[in-house]
Amino acid sequence: DWLIKYGYLTDSSDVTLFEHTMAIMNMQHFHKLPVTGVIDREEFNIMQRTRCGCPDMMADDEMQALGDNATSVGQLDRFRRYVVNRDRDVWPSNDLTYRFNDFTSDLPTTVQEEEMRKVASKWSAASRLSITRSSTSTSDIQVAFRTKDHGDNYPFDGPFDVLAHAFSPGTGLGGDIHFDDDEQFTINSATGADFTFIALHEMGHSLGLEHSNNPDAVMSMFFTNNPSDIQLHNDDIAGIQSLYGRPEGVEAVIEIEVATVPVTCTKVYDAIADVGASFFFFR
Ligand SMILES: [Ca+2]
Ligand SMILES: [Ca+2]
Ligand SMILES: [Zn+2]
Ligand SMILES: [Zn+2]
């Protein structure tokens, strides 16, 4: 179910009610909802939102610490901001390249090229990275549009819900960005899946960032359409600088305190997920 798919539960058949409740509490904590252990309207809304396909992963030791002591949800407080991948994988070089393996037919090729160039320059400008386009098959970040099963054990799901995913730094698939080409990609539009925002978010994963639970961050797990020019949030900038350092001569950003209000559920799409009553009960 949703909790397994996004990293709150490991996929095993012998999950206890306690573990399932803990997973719900983790999810509520991550999303700054009241931690009750029970799926209610707010949780249901979150589970129905269009989002990135990458899990909201937490380090195993943190999960273990939480599992050992059900009352100490506060131990996860350090996850209120950006999150780096659990192995702290980073690229060994600050000079990275990306390559388009193919394009979506939804947008002119030149638009996709220009938007990706802007995306790469945003992450480059915020850190010591230099991310440029290359046409060689050895490029670090391979960008591809795929549908359904596409050979990496993370099949896409048709229109809506998951829009894209990306792999953390490494060889081979590492760093690669896959867009679900069953979506209608748009730019500067109130409808469809915003190509620029999604590309900016996925490249954050390519560089080693995971989901921030700051709902305003680009690295939040939910996608929104932003018709104006999309900028990295200070939380995103603090995250990338924690991995690759600040640009020469640039002062550290002041980390913005995360909002204390619950995540607002501004839906990009109407709820279309096929969830029956069984959704509320584990197996
Ligand atoms: Ca999809
Ligand atoms: Ca790669
Ligand atoms: Zn993501
Ligand atoms: Zn994929």
Side-chain angles (χ1 to χ4, degrees), residues 156-164 180 182-183:
F156 282 131
D157 54 2
F160 308 114
D161 197 14
V162 172
L163 309 183
D180 184 349
D182 277 332
E183 310 303 336

Side-chain angles (χ1 to χ4, degrees), residues 5 53-55 101 142-157 162-168 171-181 202:
K5 191 172 178 186
C54 298
N101 287 317
Q142 305 278 334
V143 178
F145 292 85
R146 297 286 182 266
T147 58
K148 304 290 174 61
D149 269 313
H150 55 280
D152 62 7
N153 292 325
Y154 301 96
F156 282 131
D157 54 2
V162 172
L163 309 183
H165 57 219
F167 296 84
S168 56
T171 56
L173 273 176
D176 294 1
I177 298 174
H178 297 163
F179 293 89
D180 184 349
D181 212 8
E202 297 303 331

Side-chain angles (χ1 to χ4, degrees), residues 90-260:
V90 293
W91 294 100
S93 161
N94 280 4
D95 291 318
L96 302 177
T97 56
Y98 67 91
R99 175 199 195 215
F100 279 100
N101 287 317
D102 46 31
F103 296 90
T104 178
S105 58
D106 298 345
L107 293 165
T109 299
T110 51
V111 168
Q112 296 170 62
E113 291 171 328
E114 173 61 12
E115 294 304 303
M116 192 60 83
R117 189 195 62 74
K118 283 193 228 164
V119 161
S121 70
K122 281 186 185 3
W123 285 114
S124 298
S127 67
R128 294 200 182 196
L129 291 170
S130 160
I131 310 167
T132 53
R133 189 176 172 194
S134 148
S135 57
T136 68
S137 59
T138 54
S139 294
D140 305 300
I141 299 169
Q142 305 278 334
V143 178
F145 292 85
R146 297 286 182 266
T147 58
K148 304 290 174 61
D149 269 313
H150 55 280
D152 62 7
N153 292 325
Y154 301 96
F156 282 131
D157 54 2
F160 308 114
D161 197 14
V162 172
L163 309 183
H165 57 219
F167 296 84
S168 56
T171 56
L173 273 176
D176 294 1
I177 298 174
H178 297 163
F179 293 89
D180 184 349
D181 212 8
D182 277 332
E183 310 303 336
Q184 180 69 39
F185 289 102
T186 57
I187 59 163
N188 298 330
S189 169
T191 61
D194 193 291
F195 174 75
T196 312
F197 184 90
I198 295 166
L200 187 62
H201 173 100
E202 297 303 331
M203 192 172 281
H205 289 314
S206 300
L207 301 175
L209 292 175
E210 290 191 359
H211 288 145
S212 172
N213 60 6
N214 183 327
D216 297 327
V218 167
M219 292 314 294
S220 162
M221 70 293 300
F222 297 119
F223 294 136
T224 51
N225 283 16
N226 186 344
S228 59
D229 192 27
I230 298 153
Q231 301 298 337
L232 292 176
H233 189 278
N234 273 0
D235 180 69
D236 304 308
I237 295 172
I240 200 66
Q241 291 182 353
S242 79
L243 293 176
Y244 299 100
R246 297 195 297 275
E248 297 284 350
V250 170
E251 297 290 312
V253 295
I254 297 162
E255 291 186 30
I256 303 288
E257 284 298 323
V258 71
T260 53

Side-chain angles (χ1 to χ4, degrees), residues 50-98:
T50 303
R51 56 163 290 152
C52 172
C54 298
D56 308 328
M57 286 198 291
M58 299 180 184
D60 285 337
D61 55 345
E62 292 292 331
M63 292 290 281
Q64 189 61 47
L66 191 65
D68 287 347
N69 184 354
T71 62
S72 59
V73 174
Q75 287 176 357
L76 290 178
D77 273 356
R78 72 183 172 92
F79 288 106
R80 266 186 298 200
R81 296 182 180 132
Y82 61 84
V83 179
V84 300
N85 67 83
R86 69 177 66 197
D87 298 324
R88 220 181 156 75
D89 285 331
V90 293
W91 294 100
S93 161
N94 280 4
D95 291 318
L96 302 177
T97 56
Y98 67 91

